[in-house]
Amino acid sequence: MERIKLHIAYDGTNFAGYQVQLNQRTVQLVIERALSKMHRQEMKVYTSGRTDSGVHANDQVIHFNSPMTLDCSAWRNALQTLFPSDVQIKHVEKVDESFNARKSAKEKVYRYQVINQREYDLFKRLYEWHVIKPLSMERMRSAAKLLEGTHDFTAFSASKSNVKGDKTRTIKSIDIWEENGRIIFEVRGNGFLTHMVRIIVGTLVEVGLGRKDETCITQALETLDRKVVGMTAPSHGLCLWKVIY
């Protein structure tokens, strides 16, 4: 058996998230179906982590075990012909059996894109959040610094989160910059709770609009109260940018 590591990108628009769900089109489903067709037996894949419905990925990582002996270019060519057009293979590696896409990951980097102007971009509307009123970069950057470090992020997780135990996570950095008329939020950390990045971005946007003060972040980290922080930003602006091993 060989362990194969795939780096994939996908457009999350027409997926109900990554994980297999009953009667839903998901990323895991189409990948496992392709592999099962190729192997003529049921195949399972393992990922660095799930993404929600509508969330995109620039560099998601998965692994699987296979009895087939193909070189990496053959794996890429064979699988890409079986994958739908909204899933793309970026890189294929053969790895040691000790590698695990989830457990071996050290950090993840997410990017969230906002277009901050009166008119939205028709051809990018599925990949960015349209915020009409002007955002204060200074206020958002100041508030973002309060989130960096190791904290209990209960207040920044969805009520439906499947994490029942410790919700302590470490955010290494939150960088915010302007690029081609967009505002990019890049959040780097050792792990994330359900909706955590989207709630962080939604809160920072509300601070940038002047609807909330940055002190709400300190209060939320102390009280663990979800109601203290801001909205959950729409899923379509979020992209899993890369996984670091």
Side-chain angles (χ1 to χ4, degrees):
M1 298 287 280
E2 290 189 323
R3 181 157 294 189
I4 308 299
K5 176 186 178 185
L6 296 184
H7 293 254
I8 62 170
Y10 50 85
D11 180 333
T13 303
N14 295 316
F15 286 110
Y18 174 84
Q19 188 178 28
V20 168
Q21 301 174 50
L22 184 64
N23 299 322
Q24 296 289 332
R25 183 177 187 262
T26 68
V27 179
Q28 183 181 1
L29 177 68
V30 300
I31 292 173
E32 289 182 344
R33 278 183 175 173
L35 281 166
S36 297
K37 182 177 181 179
M38 185 175 176
H39 287 78
R40 298 183 181 179
Q41 67 182 57
E42 186 174 343
M43 294 289 291
K44 296 289 291 181
V45 298
Y46 304 89
T47 181
S48 70
R50 296 172 291 181
T51 51
D52 294 329
S53 177
V55 175
H56 314 289
N58 172 69
D59 191 6
Q60 172 70 283
V61 176
I62 65 174
H63 84 261
F64 61 90
N65 297 323
S66 172
M68 302 180 70
T69 54
L70 301 175
D71 62 33
C72 291
S73 61
W75 271 115
R76 182 171 184 169
N77 294 336
L79 284 173
Q80 192 62 71
T81 61
L82 295 172
F83 283 1
S85 59
D86 46 5
V87 179
Q88 182 181 45
I89 299 176
K90 301 184 74 173
H91 184 65
V92 181
E93 296 177 56
K94 294 184 179 183
V95 292
D96 185 86
E97 64 179 13
S98 63
F99 175 82
N100 182 288
R102 181 178 64 83
K103 295 178 181 179
S104 301
K106 302 299 183 187
E107 293 180 16
K108 292 180 184 175
V109 180
Y110 282 90
R111 286 188 181 179
Y112 196 101
Q113 185 161 296
V114 169
I115 180 169
N116 189 209
Q117 60 187 38
R118 179 162 294 278
E119 298 295 331
Y120 68 92
D121 187 326
L122 175 66
F123 298 104
K124 294 185 178 180
R125 71 192 188 284
L126 301 178
Y127 311 101
E128 57 191 18
W129 181 17
H130 181 213
V131 178
I132 297 175
K133 294 183 178 180
L135 293 167
S136 167
M137 295 291 286
E138 182 180 0
R139 287 201 296 266
M140 291 192 297
R141 285 171 175 157
S142 176
K145 290 298 178 186
L146 299 175
L147 289 160
E148 294 179 349
T150 302
H151 307 284
D152 184 330
F153 282 98
T154 296
F156 292 87
S157 66
S159 57
K160 67 174 185 178
S161 174
N162 57 3
V163 178
K164 303 303 180 184
D166 186 16
K167 295 186 179 181
T168 300
R169 299 291 186 272
T170 299
I171 291 184
K172 301 292 182 69
S173 62
I174 301 179
D175 295 311
I176 308 171
W177 70 89
E178 295 180 84
E179 182 179 301
N180 299 323
R182 273 71 181 172
I183 299 174
I184 311 297
F185 298 77
E186 183 177 272
V187 186
R188 178 187 296 253
N190 68 350
F192 295 92
L193 303 167
T194 304
H195 295 177
M196 180 172 160
V197 177
R198 291 167 57 195
I199 295 171
I200 286 172
V201 172
T203 301
L204 294 177
V205 164
E206 291 205 46
V207 170
L209 291 170
R211 295 175 182 170
K212 286 189 175 292
D213 188 86
E214 67 176 35
T215 56
C216 76
I217 292 174
T218 304
Q219 183 182 354
L221 294 175
E222 291 175 351
T223 64
L224 310 182
D225 186 355
R226 170 68 182 90
K227 294 188 290 292
V228 172
V229 295
M231 70 185 89
T232 302
S235 62
H236 64 270
L238 184 61
C239 182
L240 173 58
W241 196 250
K242 62 181 175 181
V243 184
I244 301 170
Y245 291 91

